[in-house]
Structure formats: structure tokens, C-alpha cells
Amino acid sequence: MATTNKKYAKAVYLVDGRRTPFLKARGRPGPFRHVELGIYAARALLLRMPFEATEFDEVIFGATMPGPDEANIARIVALRLGCGDQVPAYTVHRNCASGMQALDNAAMSIASGRSDLVLAGGIEAMSHAPLLFHPKMVNWLADWWAAKSIGARLGVAASFNPRMLAPVIALLKGLTDPVVGLNMGQTAEQIAWRFGITRGQMDQFALESHQKLHQAQQNGDLAAEIVPLYDSKGEVYELDDGVRPDSTLEKLGKLRPAFDKPYGLVTPGNSAQITDGAAALVLASEGAVKKHGLPVLARLVSTEWAALTPAEMGLGPAHAIAPLLKSQRLKIDDIDYWEINEAFAAQVLAVIAALKDRDYCKQQLGLRSAIGEIPADRLNIHGGGVSLGHPVGTSGARIVLHLARVLQQKNAKSGIASLCIGGGQGGAMLIERSVS
Amino acid sequence: MSVTIVDWQQHCDEDGILWLILDKKNTDTNVLSVSVLEQLDGLLDEINGSLPKAVIFRSGKAKGFIAGADVKEFLDVTNTQEALIMIKRGQKLFSRIAALPCPTVALIEGFCMGGGTELALACDYRVALDDDATRIGLPEVKLGIHPAYGGVVRATAIINPLKSLELMLSGRGLSARAARSIGLVDSAQPARQIERAARQIALSPPARQQMPLLGKIISLPGIRNLVAGYMKKQVAKKAPRQHYPAPYAILDVWANYCGDNKRMMEEEANSVARLIQGNRVRNLIRVFFLQTRLKGLGDKKSFVPRHVHVIGAGTMGGDIAAWCALRGFSVSLQDREAKYLGNAFRNAHRLFGKRLKTTAQRNAALDRLIPDINGDGIARADVVIEAIFEDIDAKHAIYREVEARMKPGAVLATNTSSIPLETLATVLKEPDRLVGIHFFNPVAMMPLVEIVKTESSSGEAVEHAIAFTQHIGKLPLPVASSPGFLVNRILMPYLVEAFTLYDEGVAPEAIDKAATDFGMPMGPVELADTVGLDICLSVAQNLSQAFGIDVPGGLGKFVDAKKLGKKTGSGFYHYKKGKPVKDKDANLGDQKMIQNRLVFRFLNEAVSCLQEGIVADRDLLDAGIIFGTGFAPFRGGPINHSLEEGIESIVQSMTDYAGRFGERFRPVDGWSLLSE
């Protein structure tokens, strides 16, 4: 039931959360599949909770490319966590914001009174995205299996062409918009062009992302939220491994454009990495917090979803942040910290530029004036997708979790987490906590 | 003859199939006692009188098909004649089943062992329930005999002998699917199909199982002798013929008489009748009952733990945690930093890969093993096991922290082997709750766990520790808190004697041969190398303080030179690919003297332990030593062996050795207790 200020009708508490280290995809399937990542994150979280896994009312995870034997990954994770047969679970998909969608669904469920205790988050193992047979090969196989006689078989065999064996890389297909025919990187080039973002600015942003993450790792700013992983060979994974502490502008400058060759500005160095990772959060109603004596990290206050042309999907955050601030009667200065998912350095820079741009705000966002400038020292203070990676189904949950930790660390009141969404959408979530 | 049928039920269904249900009175487990077989004989008279469409054998018990013959009845057999009568009666009965003109089907659910399998083999068809509880095997070899009711004959006639002989030699139990794949059963079916399967097979009998071509070739005369010879060599690696004649007897019966069923049946019977002679079988049956006794200690229902927390992810802690997860418990494993858990997970993956058959089972076990650097699992643990390195201060620090965070009523246990419980408990607010749960290395293979209690240990804590040990499938042995407890205490003088002999110039090969000839699975020198000479030295030093054993200098020299045994590639022996390189021409010296010196030290210490009440009684001592050290099981344990040899004779010899070799051989006072 929507109220005029679009807050969740009842208080929704973020109790705690954990995530796995984010592991960069390195050309072959990584050591952990979707389910394992989800279980590592959620299991460690559950160990600290004073209630049993069976006491969740439901489990909701975002994931965009679970494997064929991982249908409704949330249900598989729930069962393997020991939630028992009787806790329902479902998986959501809103492309890059699937993790945030899971949190939004959980919040709405709690706000409506349907649930009191929900496990929600995001899971993605992009390195396990499959290689597919080309449709010509699939049809050939169908013919082969249907052929009954030796003569028929010979006929099918004769139609075989080795070129049919070339696999289709599912990941590339998934990262290309099928309606406008642009891949994600090209949409970033598009909005960089629109707002005059230079290569130098993109690389500088990327460099800072790595530096901030490296610094955060040194300071232990991420230790509280990360659960180490152990593979079958006994290797231990404790840190986000995409970070490049030795990155320099010079090195970044040498990289070639990846999406608009050869003249583009968006390179692998100033784009988010392809990554495996999962995040799990416990959300609770006031009643559940009281009943179990739960600690509280923050409250989820409100979420906005917006849509725009897929060709400029990177500006999605601007389209979601604007109405979020308006409905909550807040200004940019009222927000203490920001997490905007770094799908591309160009994309975050374009969002910042758009929100500052009076014409854009008037024409595209229906506002009377520009919203303002998001302060750089309050944005992604411990790094972001460029250095951390962007496991598609997970990032939406990670940024909310980390934002809550930042607010706690800095004893701050409010934060906004936002992502651009492939296909032309944007999501933004406002969280708050009580300052001491 | 008219026998009252009390253990069998029968009913004829609407298709004309006669269902014979075995539901032995007054027991949860079906065994083929003489009475049960007599009743079956009577039933067969009726069946032959009015033939049903088919016969299906099934168990009426909640658990299991048939566990085998009644082992207790074996003990009543006192001579070869009696044995032959009993065996031939069983053979005749099963041959009657095999000869029934109508189709016969065995519907096997749960365990099916020994005589139960032989009954199933006498049927035309076998259908097994495809679930985790079903295990089908012929484990008679573990009791020093082999199948005698026609099992050897029929198993090698239907199934490829390589597979069926392997089954009989190892005594392993097969799952329904594994049994299907070697042809031991015709079909493995889930519960929802098994009755329909049995019925359809009974009403429309399919073609009978044929021996595959390879099996026929192997069964040919000449070839089968070669095969038998090869298999004997394989068996000899683990079970030397002088102590374990049963496996060789199986191979002889097959190799010499295969093809002539009548003769082979006779020889099967004669062979087992011969094997029953002497004490060996009696002692192996004793070991079986000792195991049953240990399995029955405590009350599993009184304490049903769900979560276990292990502190210390070294070899022992990591393996304990993995074992508990394997057995279905959720386990949190803690160490100081994440990197110390890596090896534990690698080893856990290996254990689950070996012991669990399906991916889902392995995943479930891995899901249950939770890395826990912060100790978050302590608050929900029913059992906390501390398994860190042997340092009093470090352990004290852990106990202080853990006691504050533990659930009331949870068990606090330590795996320590060398620090007294009394010393460790001093920092606890409730010192009575600390117990020792002492595992042996490697955890997955060693069945025994010593449950260590002090004078003041709370009865409830000890009971819970015993129940926990039962739940994880280990054999609990309550022991007093005394240095070395039972197993290490008795092993140490034996190992020290081996080192002493080595220092005197005896070749390690000679020392080890004397021990393996006695029946130890591995000689003391190789054992020390395998455990690790640094560990041996530290345990020896620890126990020598308490018991005044002199630790020979040679051991220290090895450790100083960093030659720690198998793990460093070299100790007393050199190691190649994990196997010791032994000198075939080593001087074996006076084997009798060497063996006596080793055995007397072992026995003397065992009697000391009995005298001091380290364990509650002789049988528990024997059980502990057999399951903790592999002490020649066919001797029934050190105390049993001493009684069989004759206390006076041993005491006499030991006194003599005391004069010749040193006071350490002087029989301790406790020997007088045994001569009563």
C-alpha cells in the first residue's frame, strides 16, 4: 500500500549482512558456483543470529545467470542452508539491480505484514556463464537424434559443417541489449559523448576506485562484511582480488577501447570487472527485532525504480535518485554517503554530470532546476565496481550492505545506494540509521 | 517332523505368490539361528507339498533383511564334528530352496549379511532396496571363517569370480546399486517400486543372471589357479596366512573345486570346520562382541547434539570437524586466521569425495562444515572440542573465553593427549564439566575414542561425551585421567623397547618382523616412523616423567637430525613413495627373543593399567587395545592372550627376562590378580 511519501509502510530493519570476497573472472569457470557463494555468505551470517534458519518467513535472492541445475537459486540456497522444507523462496531478475530488487521485495513483504524475518541478497558467478551450441548445431543435433535409419543418419551426417561448432559466449549475449542492439559498454560511450566525459576523467576515476579499495583493504574497512572462501584444494580467498594497487594513469592510458573500436574511450581498465560474488542480508520487522533481540544496522526507508531509453541505461541512477529525493523531501546535501554502482567510470561520471545539469534535470527528470553535485568524497568511499567488480545479480545488495556499514563507521544518518540497469532502468534505495 | 513356526509368517496373495516373512521373536534384528532354519525346513515341506506360483522372501523387521547366522551359536560348537553337522544342515536347507520348482525371489531391504546373503543367493532372483541403509555382503572372513551355507559356491557361479571373491575376501557391504552392477542382485529399486518389481519378477521370471564371458574364462582350470595365486599375494600384503587363514581358504575352495558343485559344497563345509578349530575364531567372535559392547555404552537418546564447534584446524582438529560433518552434524571450525583453515577444507573435500557417493551428499557435508574465525558457533554448540597444540596457557585462554560463550549443558571437551585434565580445568568456573575426548590419528580410520574423566568429572558431562561419540559413529572407551590414558600408555614401553633393541644393533626389519609375526598390523619401528619421531619423542618424554621409562638416546638423534620418519622421507627407514624401503637380507637375529621383549613390555603395561583401574574391566582393556592399536585381534586382546598362554608361564618367562635384560621386565603386581 503506497503512502504519499512512498516510505515502506512499516519499519524495515537491516539486521546484518555478509558477502563473499569478489573474485575476478579469469577466462575459465572459477572455483565457486552460484550456490556455493550464496551459502558461504548466508551461512556465516546465520551463525551469528540468535534464531534458527527455519524461522525465516521467506528467502529472496537476485541472480541473472544461474546454471541450468540451479533453477530458482534462492530455493536451493534456502534448502541447503537448513531453512527446512517449509520456508518459501524465490529468485528475482532486474538485470544489474537484481540484488536491490530482492531487498525491495523483502522490504515490501515486511512492510505489508506478510513477513517478519527475511533472508535476501544477490548471487552471481559470471565466470560460470555457459558456452552454448550455435543454433545451427542445436538443430543438427535434433535432426541426428531424430534420425532412425542408417540412411537418415548418413543424410544428417552429410549436412554437418565444422563452423557450426563455434560456441556462443552466453556472457557476451547477456551484456548486449537486444532491443537497441548496443552492448553495455557502448551505452557508456553514448552518455560519455552526451556529457563530454573525457578519457582522462574516466581513467582518473578508475584509478581512484582502485586506490580507495586498496586503502580500505589495508585499513580493514571491509573485513567485517567479508566471509573467507575455501576451495577444494585448500586455497583461501579473503580479499576482493580484482584490485590493482599498482595501477597508474599511465598504465590505464595504454589500454585500448573495448566496445567502440578503435575510437572509443571506454576500456577494460575503466569498466567494472566480470566477477563472481554473493551477498546475503537479514531484514526484519520491528516485531522480529524485539522478539529475537536483534541488533540493527540501518532501516530501509524507500526505493525508487525508473526507466529510460536502453541506449542510455547508464543514466538510470539519475532517473531514480531524482524522484527518491523528491518524495522524501530531501536535498543532495541531506544525504551523508552515496554508493553508485560503478558499471563504468564514464557512467558514474555521466550521472554526476546529469544531476548537475539544469537542462537535463528539467527536460529529462521533470524538475525545476538541477539537483546538485554529489560530493566526490562521499561517493563510493571504499571503492566500487571498477576495482571490486560487478557480479550482476549481487551488486545491488552489496552496495546497500556496505552503505549501511559506512554509515555506522562514520556515525552518519542517511545514505542512498543506486545502480544503472541494463535495458534502460535505474534503481535507488534510501537507508537511514539513528545517530548516537 | 512338525516344528512350531514362530519366527516366520506366511501369506499367499491374490496372484498366488507365497510371501515368507522372517520376523524373529524377541529381537529387532533377524538372524538365522538353528531354530529359524529348522522352521524354514518345515515350511519348505509344506511348500513342496502344495506349490505356490512363486515364493518371495522378505524381512518383517523395521530395519534390515537378515544380519547373518546367530554368532552366539558358533561359540557353542566345540568340535569339528558338531561344526560339520551344523554347516551341512544349513547347506542342505539352502539347496532345497535353490531346487524349488517355482520361482523364488529375495526382497532385500536394509542390511543383508552372511547367511542372509547366502539365502538370497539360493533364491532365483534378488531385488534390493535402493537406499542408504541397504548393505549386502559376506563378512564371515572378519570372524575368521567364510560363507559355509553354499555362499562360496553360488557367489562364484553367478557373479564374475573377481568380484565375488573380492566381496568375500574383504567382507565389505555393497550398496544396492553396487550389488546390481556386479550382478549380486538383479535389480535395485526405490521403495515406491520394490514390491511391484518383486511381484513382476516372480510372476514373469526374466532370464536368469548369466556369468559374463570374462568370468567364465577366469573360472577355467589353470587360469583360475593363476588368478587365485595372484589374489593370495594381494591378501598377503594385509593379512599374512599364518594369522588369517580364512581368505586363503576361500581361494583354495574355489581354485581347487570350482566346476564340481557337489565337491565344492563339501569342501566349503570342511574348510570352515577346519577354520573353527583353535582359538582364533573364538577370539575374533570375542572382538565382535567387544565392539558390540562398546557400541552399546551410554545412552544415545539422552543427548542428541546438533552443532559441534571445533577449535584448532590442525591435522586433528580439521579431521575431527570433517568427520563430524560427514556424520551429519553441523560443525563450526575455528582457528586464529582464515589461512589456517585451508588444509582442513582440502582434507574434508577428499574425505567426502571418498566416503560419499553422490554430489548432493558431498555438497550437503560441505554445507555443514562452516569456517568460523570469530567463534560465532560457540553459542549454539552442543559440543565444543578444543584441539589446539599442547600448550597450557593457550588452552587456558581458550577455555576462559569459551566457557563464557557456551550454552548451559553443552559439553566442553579437549583432545589433549599429554596435559592432565586436572591442570586444564583450573581456569573454569565449573571445572567438573571438562572431559577429554581423545581421538586417534587418522581420525577417519581409527574407530576408538578415549573418553577421559577425572575423579571430579561430572557424570552428566561424561555421559554426554559418550553419547556424542556414539552419534558420530566412533567407539567410546571411558578411561581415567592418567598420563597416556590407555592406548598411548601401553604403546609407549613397547615402542621404547623397539628403540632400545635398535640401539643394541638389531636391524629395524628384524624388530618389525617379530611384531608382525606376533600379529601386529605394523611393526613398532615402522609405526613410530608413521606417527612421526618428533611426536613419539614428545609423548615418550611426557610419559617417561610419569612412569620412569628411560627414553633411548637414538630416538633423540633422529629428531635432532630432522629425520622424523615417513613425513620427512626418512627416519628409521628410508621412504620411497610413502613406503619404507626394507632390506630383504637384514639379519633377523633371535626372533623369539625380540618378540618376547616387545610383547612382554606390552603385556606388563597392560596389566599395570588394569591394576590401576585406567579402564573399568579386562574386556574394556582388551577392546581398547584392539581398536586403538590393531593388536592382533585373533588373540582377543592382551589380557585374553595372557590368559590363553597361561599366566604362570608368562610370569615365569618375564621374571627370567628381568634377570637377563633388565628390571623393566619384572612382572608387575597386577599379574597376581589375573591368576585368580
Side-chain angles (χ1 to χ4, degrees):
Chain A
M1 187 174 67
T3 60
T4 48
N5 68 359
K6 293 206 187 171
K7 280 190 176 21
Y8 294 115
K10 285 167 41 168
V12 178
Y13 293 98
L14 166 54
V15 172
D16 199 358
R18 287 287 182 278
R19 69 169 175 91
T20 68
F22 278 16
L23 304 179
K24 186 173 171 174
R26 290 174 199 275
R28 62 180 64 245
F32 306 99
R33 296 188 67 201
H34 278 74
V35 182
E36 284 142 13
L37 293 170
I39 288 177
Y40 264 102
R43 195 171 63 167
L45 184 58
L46 273 173
L47 205 57
R48 299 176 61 83
M49 293 293 123
F51 54 83
E52 298 300 317
T54 48
E55 295 180 71
F56 282 120
D57 293 302
E58 57 184 335
V59 173
I60 310 171
F61 275 93
T64 65
M65 55 183 87
D69 58 343
E70 297 178 308
N72 192 359
I73 191 119
R75 174 61 168 164
I76 300 175
V77 169
L79 285 169
R80 284 177 59 171
L81 277 178
C83 294
D85 293 340
Q86 296 179 320
V87 173
Y90 65 98
T91 306
V92 295
H93 188 317
R94 198 198 284 253
N95 311 75
C96 318
S98 300
M100 181 178 281
Q101 183 67 62
L103 299 181
D104 182 31
N105 281 32
M108 288 192 293
S109 188
I110 290 171
S112 75
R114 171 194 267 177
S115 294
D116 282 295
L117 203 53
V118 183
L119 177 66
I123 306 178
E124 207 76 78
M126 296 176 80
S127 68
H128 285 266
L131 296 177
L132 306 167
F133 277 124
H134 191 279
K136 288 208 171 86
M137 186 70 206
V138 176
N139 278 311
W140 186 88
L141 281 168
D143 291 336
W144 179 260
W145 288 322
K148 301 278 187 252
S149 68
I150 295 190
R153 287 248 152 130
L154 284 174
V156 176
S159 70
F160 182 79
N161 182 340
R163 276 187 300 185
M164 297 188 315
L165 286 172
V168 171
I169 301 174
L171 200 55
L172 289 179
K173 291 282 178 186
L175 295 174
T176 300
D177 189 299
V179 176
V180 299
L182 296 174
N183 62 45
M184 297 299 114
Q186 285 168 330
T187 68
E189 294 274 8
Q190 184 79 13
I191 59 181
W193 176 60
R194 182 170 186 159
F195 287 96
I197 316 286
T198 66
R199 170 74 188 260
Q201 286 169 322
M202 294 180 202
D203 285 348
Q204 178 65 30
F205 186 94
L207 178 67
E208 283 167 11
S209 180
H210 281 280
Q211 286 172 340
K212 283 188 282 187
L213 175 57
H214 178 60
Q215 191 64 46
Q217 285 179 338
Q218 303 287 89
N219 294 344
D221 293 319
L222 304 168
E225 73 195 44
I226 295 184
V227 178
L229 300 165
Y230 303 83
D231 72 12
S232 62
K233 299 193 182 37
E235 288 285 320
V236 184
Y237 303 80
E238 284 183 89
L239 295 173
D240 304 310
D241 71 356
V243 67
R244 304 190 104 126
D246 54 347
S247 202
T248 63
L249 276 178
E250 210 190 329
K251 286 184 190 166
L252 286 164
K254 289 209 181 89
L255 296 172
R256 297 273 171 80
F259 307 103
D260 274 343
K261 301 181 200 198
Y263 301 109
L265 307 177
V266 180
T267 71
N270 57 39
S271 303
Q273 301 163 39
I274 306 242
T275 306
D276 299 344
L281 290 74
V282 171
L283 299 180
S285 68
E286 182 114 29
V289 168
K290 284 208 175 72
K291 177 176 172 192
H292 299 287
L294 301 174
V296 161
L297 204 48
R299 273 184 331 275
L300 305 194
V301 177
S302 179
T303 304
E304 279 286 343
W305 299 102
L308 65 158
T309 167
E312 296 189 342
M313 70 91 196
L315 292 172
H319 286 250
I321 287 170
L324 181 60
L325 289 172
K326 185 169 176 205
S327 79
Q328 302 306 309
R329 301 205 202 297
L330 294 170
K331 303 212 172 344
I332 275 202
D333 295 339
D334 296 324
I335 307 300
D336 297 311
Y337 288 92
W338 300 78
E339 284 279 338
I340 299 181
N341 192 39
E342 298 169 6
F344 303 91
Q347 168 255 326
V348 180
L349 292 168
V351 166
I352 294 172
L355 289 173
K356 272 192 325 197
D357 186 304
R358 191 156 165 272
D359 288 332
Y360 190 88
C361 287
K362 281 179 82 169
Q363 286 152 24
Q364 299 294 332
L365 303 179
L367 300 170
R368 277 202 296 245
S369 57
I371 285 200
E373 173 146 20
I374 295 178
D377 61 342
R378 296 301 183 99
L379 171 63
N380 301 350
I381 66 170
H382 294 139
V386 167
S387 53
L388 258 171
H390 171 34
V392 175
T394 308
S395 294
R398 177 193 78 76
I399 58 176
V400 170
L401 173 60
H402 190 66
L403 183 61
R405 291 213 170 269
V406 167
L407 293 183
Q408 188 188 50
Q409 194 189 63
K410 307 282 184 194
N411 195 22
K413 176 166 187 269
S414 68
I416 287 183
S418 180
L419 314 98
C420 59
I421 302 175
Q425 298 189 68
M429 184 182 276
L430 171 68
I431 70 174
E432 286 178 355
R433 63 179 281 280
S434 321
V435 289
S436 46
Chain B
M1 83 167 124
S2 117
V3 177
T4 329
I5 313 291
V6 295
D7 298 318
W8 293 89
Q9 290 152 31
Q10 45 175 329
H11 75 270
C12 211
D13 69 17
E14 65 241 4
D15 295 314
I17 301 175
L18 176 67
W19 291 75
L20 283 183
I21 315 287
L22 178 59
D23 187 355
K24 190 168 191 292
K25 283 257 164 304
N26 300 325
T27 172
D28 289 332
T29 306
N30 278 332
V31 289
L32 298 176
S33 64
V34 168
S35 166
V36 163
L37 295 178
E38 276 173 4
Q39 294 167 45
L40 183 54
D41 211 36
L43 287 169
L44 286 177
D45 289 335
E46 286 175 32
I47 292 172
N48 276 315
S50 79
L51 207 59
K53 201 100 203 313
V55 178
I56 300 185
F57 287 92
R58 195 175 191 178
S59 160
K61 296 295 181 199
K63 284 207 185 131
F65 180 66
I66 297 172
D70 192 339
V71 176
K72 288 198 213 75
E73 285 175 351
F74 272 48
L75 294 173
D76 295 333
V77 171
T78 51
N79 61 51
T80 314
Q81 273 309 103
E82 282 184 30
L84 272 174
I85 292 174
M86 199 170 117
I87 294 168
K88 292 206 169 159
R89 217 171 26 203
Q91 281 188 347
K92 188 152 174 249
L93 172 63
F94 285 7
S95 294
R96 287 188 78 192
I97 297 175
L100 276 177
C102 63
T104 48
V105 181
L107 199 166
I108 301 167
E109 295 153 300
F111 49 78
C112 171
M113 294 289 167
T117 307
E118 290 181 285
L119 189 153
L121 281 168
C123 293
D124 298 324
Y125 302 94
R126 290 152 290 287
V127 183
L129 179 63
D130 186 10
D131 74 354
D132 288 334
T134 296
R135 283 281 174 278
I136 307 173
L138 292 162
E140 288 89 339
V141 77
K142 292 184 184 172
L143 294 182
I145 52 176
H146 59 68
Y149 291 160
V152 181
V153 176
R154 293 197 178 92
T156 53
I158 302 172
I159 307 166
N160 177 344
L162 282 181
K163 304 282 182 194
S164 49
L165 288 169
E166 208 263 315
L167 192 65
M168 289 186 274
L169 294 174
S170 67
R172 265 187 322 132
L174 297 180
S175 69
R177 286 197 204 169
R180 169 75 196 92
S181 74
I182 69 166
L184 177 57
V185 302
D186 298 278
S187 184
Q189 293 294 331
R192 61 189 180 272
Q193 301 293 1
I194 195 164
E195 268 188 39
R196 193 173 319 145
R199 228 188 247 111
Q200 277 187 21
I201 289 174
L203 293 173
S204 316
R208 294 280 303 272
Q209 194 97 274
Q210 285 285 19
M211 168 84 78
L213 180 61
L214 181 61
K216 288 188 186 146
I217 294 174
I218 289 173
S219 306
L220 293 171
I223 298 191
R224 64 176 187 249
N225 300 81
L226 285 173
V227 171
Y230 170 76
M231 293 181 95
K232 283 183 190 175
K233 282 213 190 74
Q234 297 302 103
V235 173
K237 286 181 191 165
K238 291 240 178 78
R241 185 164 197 161
Q242 62 178 146
H243 297 311
Y244 301 98
Y248 303 87
I250 296 173
L251 290 167
D252 281 338
V253 168
W254 174 66
N256 297 334
Y257 301 101
C258 175
D260 180 354
N261 272 5
K262 190 160 175 294
R263 213 43 228 294
M264 199 172 168
M265 278 286 192
E266 272 178 39
E267 283 312 311
E268 198 186 278
N270 292 338
S271 177
V272 172
R274 277 195 298 274
L275 287 170
I276 290 184
Q277 289 170 17
N279 282 330
R280 186 177 298 114
V281 171
R282 176 169 305 274
N283 285 338
L284 288 173
I285 293 178
R286 169 180 159 73
V287 171
F288 173 73
F289 283 126
L290 287 175
Q291 185 182 57
T292 308
R293 178 165 173 209
L294 288 184
K295 274 195 192 157
L297 286 181
D299 178 10
K300 267 172 102 162
K301 290 199 201 75
S302 73
F303 182 64
V304 185
R306 285 174 43 224
H307 186 82
V308 180
H309 185 79
V310 178
I311 304 176
T315 307
M316 290 309 286
D319 284 356
I320 293 170
W323 180 261
C324 292
L326 178 71
R327 297 288 305 193
F329 294 91
S330 86
V331 184
S332 41
L333 177 59
Q334 181 179 9
D335 210 310
R336 295 150 289 169
E337 289 175 38
K339 62 184 184 194
Y340 297 122
L341 295 176
N343 281 343
F345 276 88
R346 183 197 60 208
N347 295 340
H349 273 266
R350 259 195 225 136
L351 176 70
F352 302 151
K354 266 200 273 192
R355 299 286 185 110
L356 296 170
K357 292 280 169 267
T358 69
T359 312
Q361 285 170 329
R362 291 179 200 148
N363 283 344
L366 287 166
D367 289 344
R368 291 190 289 265
L369 184 58
I370 309 173
D372 183 15
I373 310 297
N374 299 322
D376 292 329
I378 295 173
R380 59 174 59 226
D382 300 296
V383 179
V384 176
I385 302 177
E386 170 273 303
I388 67 166
F389 58 107
E390 302 281 52
D391 177 298
I392 297 181
D393 293 327
K395 287 184 197 270
H396 276 170
I398 286 177
Y399 298 153
R400 273 191 217 100
E401 189 197 319
V402 167
E403 193 185 22
R405 294 168 75 178
M406 273 175 74
K407 262 190 335 199
V411 174
L412 177 58
T414 171
N415 185 52
T416 187
S417 50
S418 61
I419 304 177
L421 230 59
E422 294 85 346
T423 309
L424 289 176
T426 52
V427 295
L428 291 172
K429 294 203 180 70
E430 289 177 57
D432 299 348
R433 83 191 291 189
L434 183 67
V435 291
I437 300 184
H438 184 230
F439 289 84
F440 293 91
N441 195 3
V443 173
M445 295 202 15
M446 305 301 282
L448 190 77
V449 169
E450 288 172 319
I451 307 291
V452 188
K453 55 195 169 84
T454 67
E455 296 276 306
S456 61
S457 282
S458 111
E460 191 188 69
V462 174
E463 285 304 309
H464 287 183
I466 293 174
F468 164 70
T469 306
Q470 299 285 13
H471 281 292
I472 62 170
K474 294 289 184 199
L475 301 174
L477 181 73
V479 297
S481 169
S482 152
F485 311 134
L486 181 76
V487 173
N488 284 348
R489 161 117 178 239
I490 295 182
L491 268 182
M492 192 41 60
Y494 159 78
L495 290 179
V496 165
E497 192 64 27
F499 304 147
T500 306
L501 284 160
Y502 179 83
D503 277 355
E504 290 173 13
V506 181
E509 290 87 349
I511 302 171
D512 280 352
K513 183 167 191 303
T516 53
D517 280 350
F518 179 78
M520 301 300 283
M522 190 190 273
V525 180
E526 194 182 336
L527 179 62
D529 266 354
T530 305
V531 166
L533 298 182
D534 49 342
I535 296 177
C536 282
L537 183 61
S538 88
V539 177
Q541 282 166 343
N542 176 33
L543 293 182
S544 75
Q545 276 175 5
F547 300 116
I549 309 169
D550 281 323
V551 185
L555 181 61
K557 289 208 197 85
F558 276 111
V559 175
D560 289 337
K562 295 268 186 279
K563 295 171 92 181
L564 303 177
K566 185 161 135 184
K567 63 189 177 196
T568 59
S570 162
F572 284 98
Y573 293 112
H574 282 297
Y575 286 81
K576 234 177 160 182
K577 288 194 190 147
K579 298 253 183 301
V581 177
K582 297 202 177 177
D583 179 6
K584 292 192 181 37
D585 303 314
N587 180 358
L588 294 175
D590 181 352
Q591 283 284 293
K592 198 74 204 133
M593 180 271 290
I594 297 171
Q595 189 181 94
N596 279 339
R597 282 175 61 171
L598 293 170
V599 174
F600 287 160
R601 293 283 270 141
F602 203 104
L603 298 180
N604 220 11
E605 203 63 35
V607 174
S608 283
C609 285
L610 193 60
Q611 182 187 347
E612 290 173 32
I614 303 297
V615 287
D617 60 54
R618 304 173 185 184
D619 284 343
L620 285 178
L621 192 145
D622 278 343
I625 293 303
I626 291 171
F627 295 115
T629 70
F631 180 95
F634 58 88
R635 296 191 189 273
I639 305 298
N640 189 64
H641 165 70
S642 303
L643 291 168
E644 273 179 9
E645 291 288 293
I647 303 298
E648 277 196 35
S649 137
I650 294 185
V651 168
Q652 181 71 3
S653 305
M654 283 178 68
T655 311
D656 175 50
Y657 270 55
R660 288 166 63 191
F661 298 107
E663 275 308 298
R664 61 193 187 278
F665 290 103
R666 181 81 47 197
V668 296
D669 295 334
W671 284 96
S672 59
L673 292 168
L674 290 177
S675 5
E676 283 149 22

